[in-house]
Short mmCIF file of all heavy atoms in Angstrom, two decimals:
data_model
loop_
_atom_site.label_atom_id
_atom_site.label_comp_id
_atom_site.label_asym_id
_atom_site.label_seq_id
_atom_site.Cartn_x
_atom_site.Cartn_y
_atom_site.Cartn_z
N LEU A 377 -2.03 -19.07 -17.49
CA LEU A 377 -1.85 -19.86 -18.71
C LEU A 377 -2.34 -18.98 -19.85
O LEU A 377 -3.11 -18.05 -19.62
CB LEU A 377 -2.71 -21.12 -18.66
CG LEU A 377 -2.41 -22.14 -17.56
CD1 LEU A 377 -3.59 -23.08 -17.37
CD2 LEU A 377 -1.15 -22.92 -17.92
N ASN A 378 -1.93 -19.28 -21.06
CA ASN A 378 -2.44 -18.50 -22.19
C ASN A 378 -3.73 -19.08 -22.76
O ASN A 378 -4.46 -18.41 -23.48
CB ASN A 378 -1.37 -18.36 -23.26
CG ASN A 378 -0.27 -17.44 -22.76
OD1 ASN A 378 -0.55 -16.46 -22.06
ND2 ASN A 378 0.96 -17.76 -23.06
N GLU A 379 -3.97 -20.32 -22.42
CA GLU A 379 -5.26 -20.93 -22.73
C GLU A 379 -5.65 -21.72 -21.50
O GLU A 379 -4.87 -22.55 -21.03
CB GLU A 379 -5.12 -21.86 -23.95
CG GLU A 379 -6.41 -22.58 -24.25
CD GLU A 379 -6.34 -23.46 -25.50
OE1 GLU A 379 -5.35 -23.40 -26.24
OE2 GLU A 379 -7.31 -24.21 -25.71
N TYR A 380 -6.81 -21.44 -20.96
CA TYR A 380 -7.25 -22.21 -19.81
C TYR A 380 -8.71 -22.60 -19.98
O TYR A 380 -9.38 -22.14 -20.91
CB TYR A 380 -7.01 -21.46 -18.49
CG TYR A 380 -7.87 -20.24 -18.24
CD1 TYR A 380 -9.07 -20.34 -17.54
CD2 TYR A 380 -7.48 -18.98 -18.68
CE1 TYR A 380 -9.86 -19.23 -17.28
CE2 TYR A 380 -8.26 -17.85 -18.43
CZ TYR A 380 -9.46 -17.99 -17.73
OH TYR A 380 -10.24 -16.89 -17.49
N THR A 381 -9.18 -23.47 -19.09
CA THR A 381 -10.58 -23.90 -19.19
C THR A 381 -11.42 -23.07 -18.23
O THR A 381 -11.18 -23.11 -17.01
CB THR A 381 -10.70 -25.40 -18.87
OG1 THR A 381 -9.89 -26.11 -19.80
CG2 THR A 381 -12.14 -25.87 -18.99
N GLY A 382 -12.34 -22.33 -18.79
CA GLY A 382 -13.20 -21.50 -17.96
C GLY A 382 -14.50 -22.22 -17.65
O GLY A 382 -15.07 -22.89 -18.51
N VAL A 383 -14.91 -22.12 -16.40
CA VAL A 383 -16.25 -22.59 -16.01
C VAL A 383 -17.03 -21.32 -15.74
O VAL A 383 -16.71 -20.59 -14.81
CB VAL A 383 -16.20 -23.47 -14.75
CG1 VAL A 383 -17.60 -23.91 -14.35
CG2 VAL A 383 -15.28 -24.66 -14.96
N ASP A 384 -18.00 -21.05 -16.58
CA ASP A 384 -18.76 -19.81 -16.47
C ASP A 384 -20.22 -20.13 -16.24
O ASP A 384 -20.76 -21.03 -16.89
CB ASP A 384 -18.65 -19.02 -17.78
CG ASP A 384 -17.43 -18.13 -17.80
OD1 ASP A 384 -16.36 -18.63 -18.21
OD2 ASP A 384 -17.53 -16.95 -17.42
N PHE A 385 -20.86 -19.40 -15.33
CA PHE A 385 -22.32 -19.48 -15.34
C PHE A 385 -22.92 -18.10 -15.19
O PHE A 385 -22.26 -17.15 -14.75
CB PHE A 385 -22.87 -20.51 -14.35
CG PHE A 385 -22.80 -20.18 -12.87
CD1 PHE A 385 -23.53 -19.14 -12.32
CD2 PHE A 385 -22.03 -20.97 -12.02
CE1 PHE A 385 -23.49 -18.86 -10.96
CE2 PHE A 385 -21.97 -20.70 -10.65
CZ PHE A 385 -22.70 -19.65 -10.13
N GLU A 386 -24.17 -17.99 -15.58
CA GLU A 386 -24.86 -16.70 -15.57
C GLU A 386 -26.32 -16.99 -15.26
O GLU A 386 -26.88 -17.95 -15.79
CB GLU A 386 -24.70 -16.08 -16.97
CG GLU A 386 -24.84 -14.59 -17.04
CD GLU A 386 -23.70 -13.78 -16.39
OE1 GLU A 386 -22.58 -14.30 -16.22
OE2 GLU A 386 -23.96 -12.61 -16.06
N MET A 387 -26.93 -16.21 -14.37
CA MET A 387 -28.31 -16.49 -13.97
C MET A 387 -29.17 -15.22 -13.93
O MET A 387 -28.71 -14.16 -13.51
CB MET A 387 -28.34 -17.21 -12.61
CG MET A 387 -27.49 -16.57 -11.53
SD MET A 387 -27.10 -17.72 -10.17
CE MET A 387 -28.61 -17.54 -9.19
N GLY A 388 -30.39 -15.37 -14.39
CA GLY A 388 -31.32 -14.24 -14.45
C GLY A 388 -32.21 -14.16 -13.22
O GLY A 388 -32.27 -15.08 -12.41
N TYR A 389 -32.90 -13.01 -13.08
CA TYR A 389 -33.86 -12.78 -12.00
C TYR A 389 -33.22 -12.90 -10.62
O TYR A 389 -33.82 -13.44 -9.69
CB TYR A 389 -35.07 -13.72 -12.14
CG TYR A 389 -35.77 -13.48 -13.45
CD1 TYR A 389 -35.46 -14.25 -14.57
CD2 TYR A 389 -36.68 -12.44 -13.59
CE1 TYR A 389 -36.05 -14.00 -15.79
CE2 TYR A 389 -37.29 -12.17 -14.82
CZ TYR A 389 -36.96 -12.95 -15.91
OH TYR A 389 -37.54 -12.69 -17.12
N ILE A 390 -31.99 -12.43 -10.49
CA ILE A 390 -31.35 -12.44 -9.18
C ILE A 390 -31.80 -11.21 -8.40
O ILE A 390 -32.21 -10.20 -8.98
CB ILE A 390 -29.80 -12.44 -9.27
CG1 ILE A 390 -29.28 -11.21 -10.04
CG2 ILE A 390 -29.29 -13.71 -9.94
CD1 ILE A 390 -27.77 -11.01 -9.95
N GLU A 391 -31.75 -11.32 -7.08
CA GLU A 391 -32.06 -10.14 -6.27
C GLU A 391 -30.80 -9.34 -6.00
O GLU A 391 -30.83 -8.13 -5.88
CB GLU A 391 -32.72 -10.58 -4.97
CG GLU A 391 -34.19 -10.85 -5.23
CD GLU A 391 -34.93 -11.34 -4.01
OE1 GLU A 391 -34.49 -11.07 -2.88
OE2 GLU A 391 -35.97 -12.00 -4.23
N SER A 392 -29.70 -10.05 -5.88
CA SER A 392 -28.41 -9.36 -5.74
C SER A 392 -27.30 -10.33 -6.10
O SER A 392 -27.55 -11.53 -6.31
CB SER A 392 -28.21 -8.85 -4.32
OG SER A 392 -27.64 -9.87 -3.52
N PHE A 393 -26.09 -9.83 -6.15
CA PHE A 393 -24.97 -10.72 -6.49
C PHE A 393 -24.72 -11.76 -5.41
O PHE A 393 -23.99 -12.73 -5.64
CB PHE A 393 -23.71 -9.92 -6.84
CG PHE A 393 -23.08 -9.22 -5.67
CD1 PHE A 393 -22.01 -9.80 -5.00
CD2 PHE A 393 -23.54 -7.99 -5.24
CE1 PHE A 393 -21.42 -9.17 -3.92
CE2 PHE A 393 -22.95 -7.35 -4.16
CZ PHE A 393 -21.90 -7.93 -3.50
N HIS A 394 -25.34 -11.58 -4.26
CA HIS A 394 -25.23 -12.62 -3.23
C HIS A 394 -25.85 -13.94 -3.69
O HIS A 394 -25.42 -15.01 -3.27
CB HIS A 394 -25.87 -12.15 -1.92
CG HIS A 394 -25.03 -11.12 -1.23
ND1 HIS A 394 -25.33 -9.78 -1.27
CD2 HIS A 394 -23.87 -11.23 -0.53
CE1 HIS A 394 -24.39 -9.11 -0.61
NE2 HIS A 394 -23.49 -9.97 -0.16
N ASP A 395 -26.85 -13.85 -4.57
CA ASP A 395 -27.45 -15.08 -5.12
C ASP A 395 -26.40 -15.88 -5.90
O ASP A 395 -26.41 -17.11 -5.90
CB ASP A 395 -28.62 -14.74 -6.08
CG ASP A 395 -29.77 -14.06 -5.36
OD1 ASP A 395 -29.71 -13.96 -4.12
OD2 ASP A 395 -30.71 -13.60 -6.05
N VAL A 396 -25.53 -15.15 -6.58
CA VAL A 396 -24.49 -15.81 -7.37
C VAL A 396 -23.47 -16.48 -6.44
O VAL A 396 -23.03 -17.61 -6.66
CB VAL A 396 -23.79 -14.80 -8.31
CG1 VAL A 396 -22.73 -15.48 -9.15
CG2 VAL A 396 -24.81 -14.08 -9.20
N MET A 397 -23.13 -15.77 -5.37
CA MET A 397 -22.18 -16.32 -4.41
C MET A 397 -22.76 -17.57 -3.73
O MET A 397 -22.06 -18.56 -3.53
CB MET A 397 -21.81 -15.26 -3.36
CG MET A 397 -20.90 -14.17 -3.92
SD MET A 397 -20.97 -12.59 -3.02
CE MET A 397 -20.35 -13.01 -1.44
N GLU A 398 -24.04 -17.50 -3.40
CA GLU A 398 -24.72 -18.66 -2.80
C GLU A 398 -24.65 -19.86 -3.75
O GLU A 398 -24.39 -20.99 -3.33
CB GLU A 398 -26.21 -18.35 -2.55
CG GLU A 398 -26.49 -17.51 -1.32
CD GLU A 398 -26.17 -18.27 -0.02
OE1 GLU A 398 -26.28 -19.50 -0.01
OE2 GLU A 398 -25.80 -17.59 0.97
N MET A 399 -24.91 -19.57 -5.02
CA MET A 399 -24.90 -20.65 -6.02
C MET A 399 -23.51 -21.26 -6.12
O MET A 399 -23.36 -22.48 -6.19
CB MET A 399 -25.36 -20.08 -7.37
CG MET A 399 -25.70 -21.12 -8.41
SD MET A 399 -27.10 -22.19 -7.95
CE MET A 399 -28.49 -21.10 -8.30
N GLU A 400 -22.50 -20.41 -6.10
CA GLU A 400 -21.13 -20.94 -6.20
C GLU A 400 -20.77 -21.79 -4.97
O GLU A 400 -20.18 -22.87 -5.10
CB GLU A 400 -20.09 -19.82 -6.36
CG GLU A 400 -18.69 -20.41 -6.42
CD GLU A 400 -17.59 -19.47 -6.88
OE1 GLU A 400 -17.66 -18.28 -6.57
OE2 GLU A 400 -16.65 -19.96 -7.55
N ALA A 401 -21.15 -21.31 -3.79
CA ALA A 401 -20.85 -22.08 -2.57
C ALA A 401 -21.53 -23.45 -2.65
O ALA A 401 -20.94 -24.49 -2.31
CB ALA A 401 -21.30 -21.32 -1.33
N GLY A 402 -22.77 -23.46 -3.16
CA GLY A 402 -23.50 -24.73 -3.31
C GLY A 402 -22.81 -25.65 -4.31
O GLY A 402 -22.69 -26.86 -4.09
N MET A 403 -22.34 -25.05 -5.38
CA MET A 403 -21.67 -25.84 -6.43
C MET A 403 -20.38 -26.46 -5.91
O MET A 403 -20.09 -27.64 -6.16
CB MET A 403 -21.39 -24.92 -7.63
CG MET A 403 -20.65 -25.56 -8.77
SD MET A 403 -20.48 -24.45 -10.19
CE MET A 403 -18.92 -23.65 -9.81
N LEU A 404 -19.63 -25.69 -5.15
CA LEU A 404 -18.36 -26.21 -4.61
C LEU A 404 -18.63 -27.31 -3.58
O LEU A 404 -17.96 -28.34 -3.57
CB LEU A 404 -17.55 -25.07 -3.98
CG LEU A 404 -17.02 -24.04 -4.98
CD1 LEU A 404 -16.43 -22.84 -4.27
CD2 LEU A 404 -15.96 -24.67 -5.90
N ASN A 405 -19.65 -27.08 -2.76
CA ASN A 405 -20.03 -28.07 -1.76
C ASN A 405 -20.40 -29.40 -2.39
O ASN A 405 -19.92 -30.46 -2.00
CB ASN A 405 -21.23 -27.54 -0.99
CG ASN A 405 -20.93 -27.48 0.48
OD1 ASN A 405 -20.27 -28.37 1.01
ND2 ASN A 405 -21.39 -26.44 1.14
N ALA A 406 -21.28 -29.32 -3.39
CA ALA A 406 -21.74 -30.54 -4.06
C ALA A 406 -20.57 -31.26 -4.73
O ALA A 406 -20.50 -32.49 -4.73
CB ALA A 406 -22.81 -30.19 -5.10
N THR A 407 -19.66 -30.47 -5.26
CA THR A 407 -18.52 -31.06 -5.98
C THR A 407 -17.57 -31.77 -5.02
O THR A 407 -17.11 -32.88 -5.30
CB THR A 407 -17.79 -29.96 -6.77
OG1 THR A 407 -18.72 -29.40 -7.68
CG2 THR A 407 -16.60 -30.51 -7.53
N LEU A 408 -17.31 -31.14 -3.88
CA LEU A 408 -16.41 -31.78 -2.91
C LEU A 408 -17.03 -33.08 -2.41
O LEU A 408 -16.34 -34.09 -2.21
CB LEU A 408 -16.11 -30.83 -1.76
CG LEU A 408 -15.28 -29.59 -2.16
CD1 LEU A 408 -15.11 -28.65 -0.98
CD2 LEU A 408 -13.91 -29.99 -2.71
N THR A 409 -18.34 -33.08 -2.23
CA THR A 409 -19.02 -34.30 -1.80
C THR A 409 -18.88 -35.39 -2.86
O THR A 409 -18.60 -36.55 -2.55
CB THR A 409 -20.52 -34.02 -1.53
OG1 THR A 409 -20.58 -32.96 -0.58
CG2 THR A 409 -21.23 -35.23 -1.00
N MET A 410 -19.04 -35.00 -4.12
CA MET A 410 -18.92 -36.01 -5.19
C MET A 410 -17.49 -36.58 -5.23
O MET A 410 -17.31 -37.79 -5.38
CB MET A 410 -19.28 -35.42 -6.55
CG MET A 410 -18.63 -36.22 -7.66
SD MET A 410 -19.14 -35.86 -9.32
CE MET A 410 -20.78 -36.49 -9.40
N LEU A 411 -16.50 -35.71 -5.05
CA LEU A 411 -15.11 -36.19 -5.07
C LEU A 411 -14.88 -37.19 -3.94
O LEU A 411 -14.26 -38.23 -4.14
CB LEU A 411 -14.14 -35.02 -4.93
CG LEU A 411 -14.03 -34.06 -6.11
CD1 LEU A 411 -13.02 -32.96 -5.82
CD2 LEU A 411 -13.64 -34.79 -7.40
N GLU A 412 -15.40 -36.86 -2.78
CA GLU A 412 -15.22 -37.72 -1.63
C GLU A 412 -15.85 -39.10 -1.88
O GLU A 412 -15.29 -40.12 -1.54
CB GLU A 412 -15.90 -37.06 -0.43
CG GLU A 412 -15.28 -37.38 0.89
CD GLU A 412 -15.75 -36.41 1.95
OE1 GLU A 412 -16.83 -35.78 1.79
OE2 GLU A 412 -15.04 -36.29 2.96
N GLN A 413 -17.02 -39.08 -2.53
CA GLN A 413 -17.75 -40.33 -2.73
C GLN A 413 -17.20 -41.15 -3.89
O GLN A 413 -17.15 -42.37 -3.83
CB GLN A 413 -19.22 -40.04 -2.97
CG GLN A 413 -19.93 -39.60 -1.71
CD GLN A 413 -21.32 -39.07 -1.97
OE1 GLN A 413 -21.71 -38.88 -3.13
NE2 GLN A 413 -22.08 -38.81 -0.92
N GLU A 414 -16.79 -40.49 -4.97
CA GLU A 414 -16.49 -41.25 -6.18
C GLU A 414 -15.04 -41.22 -6.62
O GLU A 414 -14.67 -41.89 -7.57
CB GLU A 414 -17.40 -40.77 -7.32
CG GLU A 414 -18.85 -41.02 -6.96
CD GLU A 414 -19.77 -40.92 -8.15
OE1 GLU A 414 -19.32 -41.21 -9.28
OE2 GLU A 414 -20.93 -40.55 -7.95
N TYR A 415 -14.22 -40.43 -5.95
CA TYR A 415 -12.82 -40.32 -6.36
C TYR A 415 -11.86 -40.55 -5.20
O TYR A 415 -10.76 -40.03 -5.19
CB TYR A 415 -12.58 -38.95 -7.03
CG TYR A 415 -13.33 -38.82 -8.34
CD1 TYR A 415 -14.68 -38.52 -8.36
CD2 TYR A 415 -12.68 -39.05 -9.55
CE1 TYR A 415 -15.38 -38.44 -9.56
CE2 TYR A 415 -13.36 -38.97 -10.76
CZ TYR A 415 -14.71 -38.66 -10.76
OH TYR A 415 -15.40 -38.58 -11.94
N SER A 416 -12.29 -41.37 -4.23
CA SER A 416 -11.44 -41.57 -3.05
C SER A 416 -10.11 -42.23 -3.43
O SER A 416 -9.09 -41.97 -2.80
CB SER A 416 -12.18 -42.39 -2.00
OG SER A 416 -12.56 -43.61 -2.56
N PHE A 417 -10.13 -43.05 -4.48
CA PHE A 417 -8.90 -43.71 -4.91
C PHE A 417 -7.84 -42.66 -5.27
O PHE A 417 -6.71 -42.70 -4.78
CB PHE A 417 -9.18 -44.63 -6.11
CG PHE A 417 -7.94 -45.25 -6.67
CD1 PHE A 417 -7.35 -46.34 -6.03
CD2 PHE A 417 -7.35 -44.75 -7.82
CE1 PHE A 417 -6.18 -46.91 -6.53
CE2 PHE A 417 -6.18 -45.32 -8.33
CZ PHE A 417 -5.60 -46.40 -7.68
N GLU A 418 -8.22 -41.70 -6.11
CA GLU A 418 -7.26 -40.67 -6.54
C GLU A 418 -6.92 -39.71 -5.39
O GLU A 418 -5.78 -39.28 -5.27
CB GLU A 418 -7.82 -39.87 -7.73
CG GLU A 418 -7.80 -40.61 -9.05
CD GLU A 418 -8.92 -41.62 -9.23
OE1 GLU A 418 -9.88 -41.59 -8.42
OE2 GLU A 418 -8.85 -42.43 -10.16
N LEU A 419 -7.92 -39.40 -4.56
CA LEU A 419 -7.66 -38.48 -3.45
C LEU A 419 -6.61 -39.07 -2.51
O LEU A 419 -5.69 -38.39 -2.06
CB LEU A 419 -8.95 -38.19 -2.67
CG LEU A 419 -10.02 -37.36 -3.40
CD1 LEU A 419 -11.32 -37.32 -2.61
CD2 LEU A 419 -9.52 -35.94 -3.66
N GLU A 420 -6.73 -40.37 -2.26
CA GLU A 420 -5.77 -41.04 -1.38
C GLU A 420 -4.39 -41.13 -2.03
O GLU A 420 -3.39 -40.85 -1.40
CB GLU A 420 -6.27 -42.45 -1.07
CG GLU A 420 -6.73 -42.60 0.36
CD GLU A 420 -7.43 -43.92 0.55
OE1 GLU A 420 -6.79 -44.97 0.39
OE2 GLU A 420 -8.65 -43.89 0.83
N LEU A 421 -4.41 -41.50 -3.30
CA LEU A 421 -3.14 -41.65 -4.03
C LEU A 421 -2.34 -40.35 -4.00
O LEU A 421 -1.13 -40.35 -3.86
CB LEU A 421 -3.46 -42.03 -5.49
CG LEU A 421 -2.31 -42.47 -6.38
CD1 LEU A 421 -1.69 -43.77 -5.88
CD2 LEU A 421 -2.78 -42.63 -7.82
N LEU A 422 -3.03 -39.22 -4.11
CA LEU A 422 -2.33 -37.93 -4.15
C LEU A 422 -2.27 -37.25 -2.79
O LEU A 422 -1.73 -36.16 -2.65
CB LEU A 422 -3.02 -37.00 -5.16
CG LEU A 422 -2.96 -37.45 -6.63
CD1 LEU A 422 -3.78 -36.54 -7.51
CD2 LEU A 422 -1.52 -37.48 -7.12
N GLY A 423 -2.83 -37.91 -1.78
CA GLY A 423 -2.81 -37.33 -0.44
C GLY A 423 -3.51 -35.98 -0.36
O GLY A 423 -3.01 -35.05 0.28
#
Side-chain angles (χ1 to χ4, degrees):
L377 297 162
N378 290 323
E379 176 177 351
Y380 70 92
T381 301
V383 178
D384 273 87
F385 72 67
E386 203 70 21
M387 49 200 276
Y389 300 94
I390 59 170
E391 279 178 24
S392 87
F393 69 98
H394 287 102
D395 296 353
V396 181
M397 288 156 64
E398 282 292 331
M399 193 63 78
E400 178 167 35
M403 177 175 90
L404 292 171
N405 237 322
T407 300
L408 293 176
T409 304
M410 157 170 289
L411 291 180
E412 210 164 22
Q413 287 169 352
E414 298 196 29
Y415 293 80
S416 58
F417 176 78
E418 285 79 12
L419 291 172
E420 251 170 64
L421 190 65
L422 295 174

